[in-house]
Amino acid sequence: MNKYIKLMLIFLIILAVSSYLLSNFYTDSIDSDENTMIISVCTGDMRALETGISVYAGYKQTPLILSDKKLPEQLKEYLPEFIQQNNITKIIIIGPMNVDEIINLQRMVPEVKQVNGNSIADILTKIADNTHDINNETIIFTSSDPMAGLLGAYTKTPVFITATNSTYNSAQNLQDEYINYLETHQIKHIIIIGTLPESLTKQLREYDENLEIITGADSSQVSINVIDKLKKDGYLNNTTTAYYGFYGELPTIIPTVIKDNAILIEDSTSHADIINYLKENLIDTIIITRNQQTDYIQMEETDYISPEVIEKLEENNFNIEYLTRQRTLNEATGLYDMKIVTLEQITHNKKQLGELNSNNTLKSHNSIKSNPPLISLLDKDAWKDSNNITATVTHKSNDTIILKWNTIHPYTWTINNQNNYTQKSDNGYEYHWIKESNVWTEEYLYQNNTYYTVKWIENDDNTWTEMQPVKNYTWSYDGTTWYCYDDDKLCYYIQSSTAHQN
């Protein structure tokens, strides 16, 4: 009997401690201060959640990181140093995250909180219900447009996301959580950013027959219309800075935009109209938040700011700054780089990460003979680049090699012959390498369709010229490290660890 009572007491103690820990872990609000960082899940069925969360991170000027349920390696390696240097004592996770990731974050800071729910609508209404310094008279609806986050952050107005089925596309009807919120709070003013299905718009008119709809022919026009509303309503004055970027990264930029009293422009095709608008509104500094295509060493998805846009901005005498690294592996690593630079910007006003050695110039050492840089990576077992991304090389056979970067999926290389290589990813992207004379042609293919071509030319001094469509780089190899130069300036390097043993 005594043994039974003791076991029951132990069980009750464990249950009480567990309940206490859980009650202190889960929360329904974003209660942040200057030592807080927010991590929002933005993939799977939480895709576009980040736009709703950018409102709270924005007006509180809290660093915002976008993540999968598993933190990307590039961010995971960077965070401990950032947390220590900036005295981050609290992390708020929004959305579901893997348990091992949560435990790892709990090791870094004294306090970790999580706002979770069954859906995006569940999470966003829960946060709005428990945030007391927001606009309680208006709700902004959007399928996923980041400009809704900007408007919400400047005006402290909740943004409700209607995206569904793990896409950025809107559901046809309002989710029950949104209906309950509108009715409970007796919302009378509703703003739509972008375009929503007619069936959903009709539902919203039942709560506000004079719906305010802010849309446009393209994303840049939506940006202009949102900015004009902010100016008209007195939220933007004496603004001289514009952030210019692509859809995916914009929510994480919003805290920095608010801090800088800046505007935000989403990239589209009507560049001339944007330039005229920027000049008319006395903008003198443009901060680019996405890489150009020539920045990518091996691009997959064609997500980039066109070099033509940069050229037009420069021709019109705008001061151009960047929240990107000059060179990065592809669009995925470029996004991680941008998130890191953005964290530095909002905490330290630092738009660049560690400049490379200015004394290392193309003329400072000789190059030894080798295959083009990306093919020569197969001759060693391990590499690390200037962006702290590592790679391992595994030889499956004499003609099949696996190259795995720690931040992106692996590539399988097949040596067809000494003048013909094939490189494949696991998501449909391929690179075909063909040598003629001293030139390697690298064709980028997706589902057997060529969408980009880069040529690699071997020079008489054993350096290699990487010929992108609108820009060239020169690579030099000393047997251990590949150095990449823009003209005579070092802009990237990748260093080997060991030689492959046949």
Side-chain angles (χ1 to χ4, degrees):
M1 186 66 179
N2 288 339
K3 184 178 180 181
Y4 174 78
I5 292 173
K6 288 180 180 179
L7 289 173
M8 283 298 296
L9 285 172
I10 293 172
F11 173 77
L12 290 172
I13 290 170
I14 293 173
L15 183 62
V17 171
S18 299
S19 298
Y20 173 79
L21 291 175
L22 286 174
S23 66
N24 279 274
F25 174 65
Y26 292 112
T27 183
D28 292 336
S29 64
I30 299 179
D31 182 17
S32 63
D33 58 26
E34 61 183 7
N35 301 114
T36 301
M37 180 175 68
I38 299 171
I39 300 176
S40 175
V41 178
C42 64
T43 58
D45 57 4
M46 293 291 133
R47 187 179 297 275
L49 169 65
E50 65 274 13
T51 294
I53 301 307
S54 69
V55 172
Y56 305 94
Y59 77 77
K60 296 181 180 186
Q61 297 180 28
T62 302
L64 172 62
I65 293 177
L66 310 186
S67 177
D68 194 355
K69 293 181 181 180
K70 180 178 176 61
L71 276 170
E73 288 297 323
Q74 207 165 330
L75 289 174
K76 190 184 297 186
E77 293 178 7
Y78 168 76
L79 280 181
E81 182 180 357
F82 173 81
I83 287 170
Q84 183 178 17
Q85 289 181 349
N86 294 280
N87 193 31
I88 300 297
T89 58
K90 182 178 182 179
I91 295 175
I92 302 175
I93 302 165
I94 314 294
M97 181 166 280
N98 290 353
V99 173
D100 58 331
E101 297 290 350
I102 294 172
I103 292 172
N104 189 46
L105 292 172
Q106 288 173 328
R107 294 192 183 110
M108 297 184 199
V109 296
E111 186 178 11
V112 175
K113 296 280 191 179
Q114 184 181 35
V115 184
N116 207 352
N118 298 320
S119 64
I120 292 175
D122 186 17
I123 292 172
L124 292 178
T125 51
K126 189 181 297 182
I127 293 171
D129 260 327
N130 292 277
T131 305
H132 305 297
D133 58 347
I134 59 171
N135 180 352
N136 288 315
E137 299 176 352
T138 302
I139 295 293
I140 300 169
F141 277 89
T142 186
S143 62
S144 55
D145 198 312
M147 295 306 298
L150 181 75
L151 179 61
Y154 266 119
T155 62
K156 296 187 178 180
T157 303
V159 169
F160 287 169
I161 302 299
T162 63
T164 189
N165 295 330
S166 300
T167 71
Y168 291 120
N169 301 321
S170 177
Q172 294 297 311
N173 299 291
L174 276 177
Q175 289 94 327
D176 289 341
E177 293 88 346
Y178 293 151
I179 292 173
N180 292 336
Y181 189 94
L182 293 173
E183 293 177 351
T184 300
H185 293 271
Q186 299 182 334
I187 300 298
K188 301 298 183 185
H189 183 210
I190 295 173
I191 303 171
I192 293 176
I193 303 297
T195 303
L196 295 180
E198 184 56 37
S199 54
L200 197 152
T201 302
K202 183 178 178 181
Q203 280 183 282
L204 291 176
R205 289 194 189 279
E206 296 175 8
Y207 301 94
D208 178 5
E209 62 182 17
N210 298 311
L211 270 180
E212 185 176 358
I213 301 176
I214 303 176
T215 187
D218 55 30
S219 54
S220 63
Q221 190 59 55
V222 175
S223 302
I224 288 172
N225 292 339
V226 168
I227 293 163
D228 284 347
K229 176 177 175 59
L230 288 168
K231 285 179 173 288
K232 177 184 175 183
D233 293 347
Y235 290 98
L236 277 172
N237 297 292
N238 302 318
T239 302
T240 60
T241 301
Y243 285 77
Y244 187 97
F246 204 70
Y247 199 93
E249 78 271 11
L250 296 187
T252 199
I253 300 292
I254 287 176
T256 308
V257 175
I258 303 298
K259 179 187 175 195
D260 288 352
N261 184 43
I263 64 173
L264 181 62
I265 301 290
E266 186 180 344
D267 181 55
S268 73
T269 55
S270 56
H271 306 310
D273 292 342
I274 281 294
I275 288 173
N276 292 335
Y277 180 81
L278 295 172
K279 293 170 74 172
E280 290 167 3
N281 284 271
L282 305 179
I283 299 297
D284 58 30
T285 299
I286 312 293
I287 300 173
I288 306 298
T289 68
R290 176 68 70 107
N291 291 92
Q292 303 174 62
Q293 73 214 64
T294 53
D295 295 347
Y296 301 136
I297 294 168
Q298 276 197 315
M299 175 177 62
E300 287 192 356
E301 297 181 24
T302 53
D303 295 342
Y304 56 80
I305 301 296
S306 168
E308 295 175 0
V309 176
I310 309 297
E311 184 178 341
K312 288 180 180 178
L313 291 170
E314 290 174 341
E315 287 174 355
N316 284 273
N317 298 316
F318 289 103
N319 174 38
I320 310 297
E321 298 178 0
Y322 297 88
L323 283 182
T324 60
R325 296 185 190 270
Q326 185 173 354
R327 302 229 69 186
T328 190
L329 291 177
N330 64 13
E331 70 287 345
T333 60
L335 273 177
Y336 302 146
D337 291 338
M338 180 278 306
K339 293 171 184 177
I340 292 171
V341 179
T342 302
L343 288 176
E344 294 291 336
Q345 160 68 349
I346 195 169
T347 52
H348 297 301
N349 289 320
K350 184 167 66 175
K351 295 187 180 68
Q352 296 293 332
L353 292 179
E355 290 290 325
L356 300 181
N357 184 0
S358 60
N359 294 323
N360 187 330
T361 64
L362 182 57
K363 300 174 183 177
S364 63
H365 51 78
N366 296 321
S367 184
I368 67 172
K369 191 172 183 62
S370 177
N371 275 325
L374 295 179
I375 292 179
S376 79
L377 297 184
L378 306 179
D379 296 332
K380 311 267 185 174
D381 291 333
W383 297 85
K384 185 175 183 179
D385 76 359
S386 50
N387 300 334
N388 292 319
I389 299 173
T390 60
T392 55
V393 179
T394 305
H395 286 246
K396 295 295 186 180
S397 65
N398 289 335
D399 58 7
T400 303
I401 305 167
I402 307 296
L403 190 150
K404 176 66 177 75
W405 300 97
N406 67 327
T407 57
I408 55 178
H409 47 246
Y411 291 102
T412 300
W413 285 76
T414 302
I415 304 174
N416 304 309
N417 58 59
Q418 65 180 7
N419 297 322
N420 189 307
Y421 287 63
T422 304
Q423 177 190 358
K424 295 184 178 181
S425 69
D426 57 6
N427 60 353
Y429 289 94
E430 299 181 19
Y431 307 87
H432 292 182
W433 295 76
I434 300 172
K435 182 182 180 182
E436 292 183 6
S437 186
N438 67 328
V439 178
W440 283 86
T441 299
E442 180 190 7
E443 292 187 340
Y444 293 41
L445 293 89
Y446 181 66
Q447 296 181 347
N448 296 320
N449 294 314
T450 300
Y451 64 96
Y452 200 67
T453 301
V454 174
K455 290 188 179 294
W456 297 82
I457 300 175
E458 186 176 16
N459 301 309
D460 292 339
D461 60 357
N462 296 327
T463 62
W464 285 88
T465 298
E466 174 192 353
M467 293 187 63
Q468 299 252 5
V470 295
K471 188 176 180 65
N472 295 347
Y473 295 96
T474 303
W475 293 73
S476 177
Y477 187 48
D478 65 4
T480 301
T481 304
W482 277 103
Y483 299 99
C484 177
Y485 298 91
D486 181 4
D487 291 328
D488 198 34
K489 180 182 178 183
L490 180 66
C491 60
Y492 177 83
Y493 66 80
I494 180 165
Q495 189 171 48
S496 66
S497 302
T498 56
H500 170 64
Q501 303 296 322
N502 290 312

